[in-house]
Amino acid sequence: MTRLRFNAQPARGFTLLELLVVMVIIGLLAGYVGPKLFGQIGKSETKVTRAQIDALQKSLDQYRIDIGRYPSTQQGLGVLVQRPADEARWQGPYLAKAVPLDPWGRPYLYRAPGQHGEYDLYSLGRDGAAGGEGSDADITSW
């Protein structure tokens, strides 16, 4: 005669109900924390852009001290890194590395003479279009 053995230990694992409760809790936490976290990311990109514009302004000022004027729009920011052929008084490079892109991967816009001063240096923000609000707003040197 064969004896049936019953295991006294219950099966291990989670029930479907327990898994659903945990997933709902994780979803609620993500819904609450996610927007706050992504809002901070937009603020940090704006802060990085302001810091880079400030560093570029200092480099432009050093260039002006050496040359006697700011670079023209045609020369652009590239003269801060590479000597122009027609500038004998160039003492650069004025930046340790290449001219950075803004945090959204686009080049900074430079215009000299500027509409707001001797030069205009700016980024069009996250949306890449003039104007905007919040993280889409333009970040300028003036």
Side-chain angles (χ1 to χ4, degrees):
M1 186 160 137
T2 309
R3 282 189 158 166
L4 294 175
R5 291 186 183 176
F6 292 100
N7 193 353
Q9 295 179 347
R12 295 185 180 204
F14 298 104
T15 66
L16 181 59
L17 182 60
E18 290 171 327
L19 289 174
L20 287 174
V21 167
V22 169
M23 289 175 59
V24 166
I25 290 171
I26 290 172
L28 289 172
L29 287 172
Y32 179 73
V33 173
K36 292 184 182 293
L37 179 65
F38 289 120
Q40 294 300 319
I41 290 172
K43 288 180 186 176
S44 67
E45 289 171 335
T46 301
K47 288 180 183 178
V48 167
T49 305
R50 290 191 192 286
Q52 286 180 335
I53 285 176
D54 184 55
L56 289 170
Q57 284 181 295
K58 290 176 181 166
S59 297
L60 286 166
D61 290 341
Q62 187 62 45
Y63 179 92
R64 181 179 184 220
I65 289 169
D66 290 346
I67 305 299
R69 61 172 176 75
Y70 289 109
S72 67
T73 303
Q74 291 76 23
Q75 288 176 312
L77 298 173
V79 298
L80 299 175
V81 179
Q82 190 171 16
R83 175 191 291 270
D86 59 344
E87 295 292 351
R89 297 186 303 179
W90 191 83
Q91 300 293 315
Y94 300 96
L95 293 172
K97 298 178 181 178
V99 177
L101 298 175
D102 70 11
W104 301 279
R106 291 184 296 274
Y108 284 97
L109 302 174
Y110 174 77
R111 178 177 45 222
Q115 295 175 347
H116 304 279
E118 294 186 71
Y119 64 85
D120 294 344
L121 177 62
Y122 57 103
S123 167
L124 295 176
R126 183 181 67 183
D127 64 353
E133 295 180 10
S135 60
D136 290 339
D138 300 347
I139 300 147
T140 64
S141 63
W142 58 90

